[in-house]
Each structure stands twice: as structure tokens, then as C-alpha cells.
Amino acid sequence: MTAERSPVKRSRARTPAELVGAVPEPEFEFTFDGRTIPALPGQSIAAALWAASVLAWRTTRVNGRPRGAFCGIGSCFDCLATVNGRPNQRACLLPAGPGDTVTTQEGDGHAEHLG
Amino acid sequence: MQNTSGEVSGVPGPGGGPGPDRGPDRGVGPGRGGASGPSDAGVRSGPGGGVSGTTGEVPGTSGASAGATASAALAVIGAGPAGLAAAVTAADHGLDVVLLDASAAPGGQYYRSPAPGLGAARPEALHHGWAAFAGLTARLDRHRATGRVRHLAEHQVWAVERTGDDWALHSLTGAGGQGRATVRARRLLLATGSHERQLPFPGWTLPGVVGAAGAQAMLKSGLVLPGRRVVVAGSGPLLQAVAASLTLAGADVPALVEASGYAAYARAPHVLAANPGKLAEGARHGLALARSGVRVLSHRAVTAVHGTRRVEGVTVSRVDRDWRPVPGSDRRIDCDALAVGHGLVPQIELATTLGCATRRCADGTHALLLDRRLRTTVPGIWAAGEPGGIGGVQLAFAEGELAALSVIDDGGGTAPGVDRRRVTALRLARRRMRAFAEVMGAAHRPGRGWSGWTADDTEVCRCEEVTAGQVRTALDDLGAGDARTVKLLTRAGMGWCQGRMCGFAVGELARCHGAGEEAAGPGRRPLACPVPLSALAEAAPGDRT
Ligand SMILES: Cc1cc2nc3c(=O)[nH]c(=O)nc-3n(C[C@H](O)[C@H](O)[C@H](O)COP(=O)(O)OP(=O)(O)OC[C@H]3O[C@@H](n4cnc5c(N)ncnc54)[C@H](O)[C@@H]3O)c2cc1C
Ligand code: FES
């Protein structure tokens, strides 16, 4: 246990990547509603969207309200997105892939799916 | 029996390949979609992976192994601290173990680490006790190399059924859950952890409001923050860890808002004295927060969120001992995100579906009823870690090891035999830490007054958009006498998350309106996660592999 670093003693980093000394593999891009979003290999779609300050990528079925990631671990289903035409994907679990097309999922996502 | 290499039978997807409901094949490298890649036991194994005996496993591609499957001696569901400790301990004693986990990497919620592509040189900067985890994963790798443990990553178990002397575990595989696999085992050990408990309040569905544990999870795995200025609120010791991590990672945390206080711990001095590590942990967090300028406000709660498209600020109110807001005590804190949570809830749906009995914990959650050998009330099923009650990572380690030793004692073991002194030490440690967990749970248990935060138009159920007003109407005007009837009348808890987010709140609202104690019983979900109809059809009796 002696080798472990205590996060508390570490001086404050400016970004999460700095904190863990990240040297990521080259970033790539995917699109969200036509907008280009950079992502790092292994990042979930939700994480990449958060990094780009996008917090909502779904509108609810009943009231059309915006939603994004909430539980962060695959339990709440608030982060559903349409990915490459496939609706109801949990963006907090699904790693982003180069060239993915992510679109705001409206309602239960079936309109896009059938269309 | 112990040394037969258990097998994973591949169950075909619809038509054995991409069907009309599967969407376009994403066509990226291995491990990205379970439907096309080989089993992650092979794909994701670290050094020495590519376990012999697993080459025939290609979930989701063909049903070739029908009738030819052997059972593992033990299936462990969940590769968090508890499941990891259990799997390597069982393997040390000669058992064939299959370890299934929904995530791509072992570690569970606590040791969630950045994806390998993020190239983190110091993933331990976001964790305490990294050495213990590193030790376990090294042991896991050694057992994977010999084939004694097969680690099936990205396997989300959605149902378990008894088939003769065996358990059959059905899972969805791959990051998108497109693949299918069924695994058989003689004994079952549930180490499925927990999810966060939430209570509704006006504005909690606005983008920028995230679970406190969720913010922690996204930070640890994706190295991202929900905002620059993040208020942390709710109740429970996890909030301190979250606030500390957020500030370390560069966020500004103006306040940690705790609805309870910390004084309740002092009422159990003997329990505190027996758990010096916990005291040190609390002190360490307190110091870190003070240094980072995080104000800790106890007996206060976020009672409203402001903003139109996203969070712009929160209202913090003083609350009484019962968590009732004190009129006139409101003040506003500007922020661009709110990380909120009210403790954790054991994830026990697989077990309750199989008939395992539960107990009510001091924090108001339902956990599995376990004996001192960590057996559930159903023969052949053990549990370790959070499913037995929320208690933290050290308890999860101890229980995982103890549960595995208990499985060995049950007749599963070969050489070497179980060290009795180790069993005794683990039992004592478990009793001590469980006692602390009860004190902690009682200290942070939500007071009844929280419903005073909700307005009639506050959504209680995020999935089905059911408001507090609708729930109250069901109780007061439509004659719903319990949470189940509320659910049927309003659809609260019947959406995607199956009540994971709103179950506790609906149960408590029902109790506030005079429904019986039973109203807040453990949620029963026939499936542990949403499952495509095609998977159900494949797993139907008569079509088993
Ligand atoms: C989101 C979150 C963040 C947390 N962060 C912290 C923290 O920062 N600090 C802290 O002290 N404590 C934290 N905790 C508490 C922490 O979970 C426990 O202290 C500890 O990890 C418990 O270990 P465990 O092995 O019992 O469960 P977990 O670590 O939760 O492991 C359970 C594992 O089971 C898997 N699983 C669950 N269901 C299934 C299924 N049906 N099929 C397949 N796999 C399944 C999960 O993917 C997970 O890997 C957090 C909890 C949550 C929910
Ligand atoms: S954020 Fe909850 S499921 Fe993705």
C-alpha cells in the first residue's frame, strides 16, 4: 500500500487529463446532429459530448424536454441517443467510434428508426 | 468437476446475424460490438489472456455448442472489489470460475479507470487503495492465463434460471448489447454492487443535474466534468469523495450540501473506535475539502434548480432533522452543474427474482438477507459486497474473499484447504464494518420531510415523466393503497429504468400518504436490464442450449 499516491496530497490539476497524466492516443471525430465532436479513444459518446459542453442529446416522449447523461453507469436510460441510425443506445456506455453519426433522439426513437 | 473448463454457449442473434432490428453494423475493430467480435474473454484479456478452452466461444454468432456445454464450478456476477476478490480466492482454491461483468474492464464502480486509449499514466490519482486493486488484477491475470478464471467482460446478465443442478446465466454482450451468451455454472455468487439513490426536487431533470456517483463515474472513466462550477448535494459519505475528486480534477466546487449532519456518528463511539480507518478517511476528505475551499453545509438541501436549457444555479435551503425545508432559509448559489445523490441502493434484482429474501437496512434500502457464510436464502446462491447492504470498498474486499471460502467449504474446493484463522479474521472484520455501515446508513437516511421539496409539477419518474402531483392524486383520490397500485395507475417506475431512479421516492411518497410499510418493498424486476424481445424468444424453454 506504500506505493499508492494519495490524491489529496497532489496539487490541484486544471483538467481531469492532467490529474491522471493522460497521454491519449490520437483523437478522432464523430458528428452530433451534424456538428463535429472530437473524441479520445475509449471515451464514451456521453463523455465526448460532455467534453464538448453538450449536456443534452435526447428529448422526452411526453413533454419533449432535453435530457443527457444522469446516472453515468447505465442504470437510468436518460442518455439514450440514436447512433448510426440505431435508436435507444446508452451513450454513457457506448464508446464513441470514428465517423459515428449521433443524433438527438426524439421521443422513443422509433420515428427515426422507421424513417 | 472442478477442472473442467466451463463453456459459454453461443446463442444466435435473430437469424444468426445482423437482422432488421440490429441497425447497421458499426464495422469497427474487435470489442466494439459484441455481435460480431469474439468473446471478450479473449478479446480483452490482458497479458496472458486468450485463454485456452475459450476459442469456441463466439456469442451471438452460432448456436454450435448446444448440448456440449460444461458447467463452471462457480459463476461470479460483477467484477468490482467484491467479485474480483471472490473470483481469485475461489480460483486459488482450485475452482473453475467464470467472472461476468457488464463493463469492459474489471474494477466495478470504485476502481473505474480511464479507457486504455486515454493513456492515463496515473489512474490511481483518482482512487485510494490502488495497490489492493492492482494486486487483485495481477492475480486475476494469472488465473486467466491458466484458464482457471474466464473473465467475460461486457457481459450484462439479464436473467438467471435454474436448469437441473445448474444455473444458466443469460447475458447481452458487447458495448451496445447486441450479442448474446449463455453460461452455465453449479454455484452462483452475486457481486452486482449498487446504483445511486435519487430523490426528486424541482428542476432535477434539467441538463447539468447529474448523479453525484455518476459524475464520479464519468470523471474516472472518461476524464470529463459536467461543468466548471459544480455544486455537490444530497446525503452520505460518498459526496465527500465526489467533491474531492471534482476539485482535484479542476472543477470549482462552491459547496457540498448535506441534508443530514455528521453528528449522528458520535452516538456510536464503540463502532467508531473499532473502525479507525473510516475515521481517518473522513478526516482526510474533510481536510482536502477545506484546502480546496469547498464549503461543507450540513442540514441543508438543494430544493430547486434554476435554468432553462441547462443549470444556471440552485436554491439551497436549511432543513430540519426530518429534512423539512425551513421557510425563509433559501439562498441561491450560481453554478453550471449539480452533482446530487442520496446514498446508494443495493442492486439485487437477479437475486429477488430467484426468490432470495431481503432485509431492510438502516438507510431504508433493501439488501439481501445473508448468513455468516454469505449464503442467500436460496441454496446455491451467495452474495458479497453491496448487494448485502451498502458498506464501502474494504467491506466488499472482505466479503468477496469470505464468500469464496464459503463456497469452497460447501464442497466445491480441492487443495489447498481453507485457512480457518483467515475465515475467523474475515468474519470479525465483516462484523465490524457492517456495524459501521449501519451507523452510517442511519446517519444519512432520508428524513420524511423531503417530499416538502417537491412541487405538484416536479417529475418523480424521469422515464415516464410522472409528477409528484399525479402520484399524490393516485394516492388521495384514486384510492391507491400502496406503491404498486400507484405504479399501475400512473406508470411511475414502468419505463426504461424500471424504477431504479424513482422506486424509493414513490415508495416513500406512498408511505407519507398512509400506505403500509410493505409499500416500499424491494422493487421486483423480472429482468435485470431491458432486453430485446428477440433475446427472450431465444431463451424460451425448449430452445435452450
Ligand atoms: C456510480 C458509483 C460510483 C461510486 N464511486 C465511489 C467512489 O468514488 N468512492 C467510494 O468510496 N465509493 C464509490 N462508490 C461505492 C462503491 O461502489 C463501493 O464502495 C464498492 O465499489 C463496492 O464494491 P462491489 O464489488 O460491491 O460493487 P461494484 O464496485 O459496484 O461492482 C459491481 C459490478 O457488477 C457489475 N454488474 C452489476 N450488475 C450486473 C449484471 N447484471 N451483469 C453483469 N455485471 C453486472 C457492474 O458492472 C460492476 O462492475 C460508487 C458507487 C457507484 C454506484
Ligand atoms: S446516464 Fe444513466 S444510463 Fe446512461
Side-chain angles (χ1 to χ4, degrees):
Chain A
M1 302 288 265
T2 46
E4 95 189 44
R5 289 160 203 257
S6 162
V8 174
K9 294 196 191 87
R10 181 174 299 285
S11 63
R12 192 167 158 176
R14 274 176 299 123
T15 67
E18 258 181 35
L19 176 66
V20 299
V23 188
E25 289 165 18
E27 73 176 34
F28 56 83
E29 290 173 342
F30 68 95
T31 64
F32 166 64
D33 287 349
R35 177 181 158 189
T36 300
I37 307 282
L40 296 169
Q43 254 179 350
S44 66
I45 288 172
L49 288 169
W50 273 22
S53 297
V54 177
L55 290 178
W57 49 84
R58 176 168 91 86
T59 58
T60 60
R61 259 188 334 208
V62 182
N63 297 315
R65 301 252 168 76
R67 297 279 176 85
F70 181 63
C71 75
I73 62 165
S75 303
C76 76
F77 295 82
D78 249 334
C79 66
L80 298 179
T82 299
V83 181
N84 298 331
R86 204 184 144 89
N88 295 321
Q89 300 300 297
R90 280 177 284 180
C92 71
L93 299 182
L94 193 62
D100 277 351
T101 304
V102 181
T103 46
T104 290
Q105 170 160 325
E106 288 173 18
D108 58 15
H110 282 106
E112 300 113 286
H113 190 38
L114 296 176
Chain B
M1 175 188 73
Q2 268 69 42
N3 292 322
T4 53
S5 163
E7 300 221 335
V8 180
S9 62
V11 181
D21 67 332
R22 313 187 102 187
D25 190 352
R26 312 193 58 196
V28 245
R32 192 147 148 64
S36 53
S39 160
D40 289 297
V43 173
R44 301 227 176 236
S45 46
V51 172
S52 65
T54 63
T55 42
E57 301 163 12
V58 188
T61 51
S62 82
S65 42
T69 53
S71 273
L74 174 67
V76 178
I77 307 182
L84 276 175
V88 301
T89 303
D92 287 348
H93 288 79
L95 290 206
D96 266 321
V97 181
V98 55
L99 172 64
L100 301 99
D101 192 275
S103 311
Q109 304 303 353
Y110 190 91
Y111 293 107
R112 205 171 247 278
S113 19
L118 293 168
R122 307 185 289 272
E124 71 276 17
L126 276 165
H127 301 84
H128 290 280
W130 186 261
F133 172 59
L136 280 179
T137 48
R139 283 164 72 194
L140 176 68
D141 283 342
R142 285 200 291 277
H143 284 304
R144 287 205 307 201
T146 64
R148 172 78 20 103
V149 176
R150 286 171 310 118
H151 173 213
L152 302 180
E154 288 183 350
H155 276 58
Q156 167 131 33
V157 180
W158 59 266
V160 177
E161 54 175 341
R162 194 82 166 122
T163 54
D165 283 346
D166 286 350
W167 300 104
L169 289 71
H170 302 288
S171 14
L172 298 179
T173 65
Q178 290 97 324
R180 323 257 190 273
T182 297
V183 177
R184 289 176 186 287
R186 307 296 307 276
R187 296 176 186 77
L188 191 60
L189 201 164
L190 298 165
T192 45
S194 56
H195 62 258
E196 194 162 33
R197 173 161 63 190
Q198 295 294 346
L199 296 176
F201 49 91
W204 77 304
T205 53
L206 201 62
V209 179
V210 300
Q216 180 84 328
M218 295 272 289
L219 171 56
K220 284 178 177 175
S221 59
L223 303 180
V224 287
L225 298 168
R228 297 309 304 171
R229 194 171 150 85
V230 189
V231 169
V232 175
S235 189
L238 181 57
L239 299 182
Q240 297 184 324
V242 172
S245 301
L246 292 174
T247 53
L248 276 169
D252 178 15
V253 177
L256 188 172
V257 183
E258 162 65 59
S260 297
Y262 303 98
Y265 292 88
R267 272 178 244 135
H270 54 290
V271 178
L272 286 190
N275 288 274
K278 287 286 178 188
L279 283 184
E281 190 182 323
R284 196 173 58 206
H285 282 310
L287 190 65
L289 295 178
R291 275 198 200 140
S292 325
V294 177
R295 270 175 306 156
V296 178
L297 308 172
S298 43
H299 303 291
R300 285 183 183 76
V302 168
T303 50
V305 175
H306 311 289
T308 45
R309 300 296 297 175
R310 60 165 298 163
V311 175
E312 290 162 17
V314 297
T315 291
V316 173
S317 315
R318 178 175 279 284
V319 294
D320 69 13
R321 274 187 46 200
D322 235 3
W323 292 25
R324 241 183 306 272
V326 176
S329 66
D330 297 356
R331 61 184 243 242
R332 182 178 160 127
I333 300 181
D334 288 333
C335 58
D336 59 1
L338 170 67
V340 63
H342 294 88
L344 300 170
V345 187
Q347 211 145 257
I348 56 174
E349 45 272 286
L350 287 171
T352 52
T353 309
L354 289 165
C356 300
T358 60
R359 69 183 177 100
R360 192 77 183 257
C361 305
D363 60 4
T365 61
H366 294 266
L368 295 181
L369 185 64
L370 303 176
D371 67 9
R372 62 193 202 118
R373 295 167 181 266
L374 296 178
R375 295 180 296 199
T376 69
T377 54
V378 173
I381 307 181
W382 285 255
E386 315 269 61
I390 301 309
V393 62
Q394 296 303 334
L395 180 58
F397 281 139
E399 288 200 347
E401 186 177 344
L402 192 54
L405 295 177
S406 166
V407 170
I408 314 270
D409 269 345
D410 185 55
T414 51
V418 170
D419 176 352
R420 304 316 321 172
R421 273 179 314 189
R422 182 71 185 157
V423 170
T424 305
L426 286 167
R427 274 195 191 142
L428 283 173
R430 170 175 187 248
R431 199 186 307 156
R432 165 174 67 72
M433 289 190 277
R434 279 275 165 224
F436 185 84
E438 287 289 296
V439 171
M440 184 181 83
H444 296 282
R445 179 187 175 130
R448 288 286 167 77
W450 68 263
S451 65
W453 310 340
T454 59
D456 270 350
D457 65 353
T458 303
E459 278 172 20
V460 174
C461 168
R462 298 172 71 93
C463 299
E464 295 293 314
E465 297 165 84
V466 178
T467 63
Q470 286 170 286
V471 171
R472 288 182 189 124
T473 302
L475 287 159
D476 294 340
D477 301 346
L478 305 179
D482 57 35
R484 225 182 306 275
T485 315
V486 170
K487 201 171 144 173
L488 294 172
L489 289 172
T490 64
R491 293 199 52 80
M494 290 173 76
W496 274 102
C497 90
Q498 289 287 291
R500 283 187 181 80
M501 296 300 119
C502 69
F504 181 81
V506 172
E508 290 292 300
L509 283 176
R511 287 215 291 176
C512 292
H513 285 246
E517 182 72 20
E518 176 273 344
R524 285 190 194 272
R525 304 175 187 95
L527 308 176
C529 66
V531 170
L533 285 177
S534 55
L536 287 178
E538 284 157 21
D543 190 25
R544 286 177 190 141
T545 53

